[in-house]
Amino acid sequence: MEDQVERDRVTLAQIAETAGVSVSTVSKVLNGRQDVSPTTRHRVERLLEEHGYRRGARSAPEAPLIEIVFHELDAIWAMELILGVEKVAKEHGASVVLTQSGTRHSPGADWIEGVMRRRPLGVVLVFSALPQEFKHQLRSRSIPFVIIDPAGDPDPDVPSVGSANWSGGLAATRHLIECGHRRIGIITGPEDMMCSLARLDGYRSAMTTAGLPLDPDLVAFGDFHVEGGFSRGTRLLDRPDRPTAIFAGSDLQAIGVLEAASALGLRTPEDLSVVGYDDVAVARFARPALTTIHQPLRKMAEAGAEMLLRMRAGESTTTRMELATSLVVRSSTAAPPGA
């Protein structure tokens, strides 16, 4: 142990000398302290990575934890991801810690200091990407990380597990076309999320392949929540040339569409067919039960956690994984009126 500590001290001294700072400053960077200027932090992190510095596990043992970080914890699908990570953690004698931080694009600056103190086995992130500075800090402390269900397109050096969003959008729209619908609306997710755009592209591909016109007035960007589905669904349905079917980019938005249809005196599926996305538990218990695209959220989380632990053990692993989606037909879709 003394030899390991001595080797760490020598390496830190070399990095401090090259960076033109004190050993204590390098130590502050390693420990995620915020009382270091961004310029100095970036310089030290870059040198730590270049020198391949990895803090010895004996000098600061990691906690038997897997940390999962969300930008919001009130979404139903978050529980599916938590259960997936928890299953793998339990199998490996670890526990799960939950953190809420930042926006849907990346965790906040306040998070990195906390994770440096906790030193978990690894971190599962539910974001679009991870800032370069955070990547340097985690790697310098040998804390592996994986992005699950990426909302964007992560950098090539960021391990991630996602699902086939384009195929899901295609399958949802194709099902409605096969039911006989020709005027089909879509409420996808936020416009700045790649998964939203991929589902929209799948919708457009299905419509184009079927020779159906793409009406921009039937395309809406939502927020993946019930309220967003209700407001945008009302807008689409309260028009003289309303669609006979709507593909909602999440089950929660689909439930909002069901509420909007009911408020306007429309019956589902007699007057309006609705398809959701995710296949969370609430989809089965909606009235009527939602036809939806099954996104294997729990399996995605399990795969991400397994990937994390393989990296922790120094094993080689794929850095990009995409799991298949599938159509689940229930009672919210049928032939259009008069068919």
Side-chain angles (χ1 to χ4, degrees), residues 41-222:
R41 180 183 299 280
H42 178 73
R43 184 165 69 252
V44 172
E45 294 286 359
R46 180 174 52 79
L47 287 169
L48 287 167
E49 189 165 5
E50 287 177 0
H51 284 258
Y53 179 83
R54 296 294 182 267
R55 185 73 173 266
R58 292 182 181 178
S59 62
E62 68 276 353
L65 301 171
I66 296 178
E67 182 159 345
I68 180 167
V69 191
F70 296 89
H71 79 276
E72 61 178 358
L73 284 169
D74 59 347
I76 294 175
W77 52 262
M79 183 54 68
E80 290 295 305
L81 297 179
I82 292 168
L83 290 172
V85 173
E86 188 175 48
K87 177 178 181 292
V88 173
K90 185 176 181 180
E91 291 171 353
H92 290 81
S95 299
V96 175
V97 59
L98 305 180
T99 302
Q100 183 172 341
S101 176
T103 68
R104 61 176 174 264
H105 298 294
S106 68
D110 59 327
W111 165 74
I112 194 68
E113 185 173 359
V115 78
M116 291 301 215
R117 288 195 306 269
R118 288 185 290 275
R119 295 204 70 232
L121 295 173
V123 180
V124 172
L125 298 141
V126 189
F127 295 94
S128 301
L130 192 64
Q132 197 68 26
E133 181 184 1
F134 289 1
K135 288 190 283 186
H136 287 323
Q137 289 177 279
L138 292 171
R139 285 170 178 157
S140 71
R141 295 299 297 271
S142 297
I143 301 175
F145 53 88
V146 173
I147 289 182
I148 301 291
D149 190 28
D153 187 18
D155 295 334
D157 65 335
V158 177
S160 67
V161 180
S163 67
N165 288 292
W166 180 87
S167 297
L170 181 77
T173 311
R174 185 173 287 168
H175 170 68
L176 292 170
I177 293 170
E178 290 172 351
C179 285
H181 295 277
R182 295 296 177 264
R183 190 159 176 78
I184 302 169
I186 179 173
I187 305 172
T188 189
E191 195 168 1
D192 60 351
M193 295 175 69
M194 289 293 291
C195 60
S196 306
L197 299 176
R199 293 169 197 178
L200 176 58
D201 284 344
Y203 158 86
R204 286 171 171 159
S205 295
M207 295 289 284
T208 300
T209 301
L212 299 176
L214 292 170
D215 186 345
D217 291 336
L218 297 186
V219 176
F221 289 94

Side-chain angles (χ1 to χ4, degrees), residues 226-248:
V226 174
E227 296 80 5
F230 181 84
S231 64
R232 290 157 182 83
T234 300
R235 200 175 308 148
L236 287 174
L237 296 173
D238 193 21
R239 49 185 297 154
D241 55 348
R242 67 172 179 83
T244 60
I246 292 178
F247 165 39

Side-chain angles (χ1 to χ4, degrees), residues 277-299:
Y277 200 104
D278 286 330
D279 194 24
V280 293
V282 70
R284 298 191 296 274
F285 301 111
R287 289 293 176 267
L290 273 175
T291 293
T292 187
I293 298 297
H294 175 74
Q295 182 174 207
L297 294 167
R298 198 174 302 193
K299 292 293 185 184

Side-chain angles (χ1 to χ4, degrees), residues 7 21 92 338:
R7 284 197 297 273
V21 299
H92 290 81

Side-chain angles (χ1 to χ4, degrees), residues 12-23 25-26 40 43-44 47:
L12 288 182
Q14 292 171 339
I15 290 170
E17 182 179 1
T18 304
V21 299
S22 66
V23 173
T25 298
V26 177
T40 299
R43 184 165 69 252
V44 172
L47 287 169

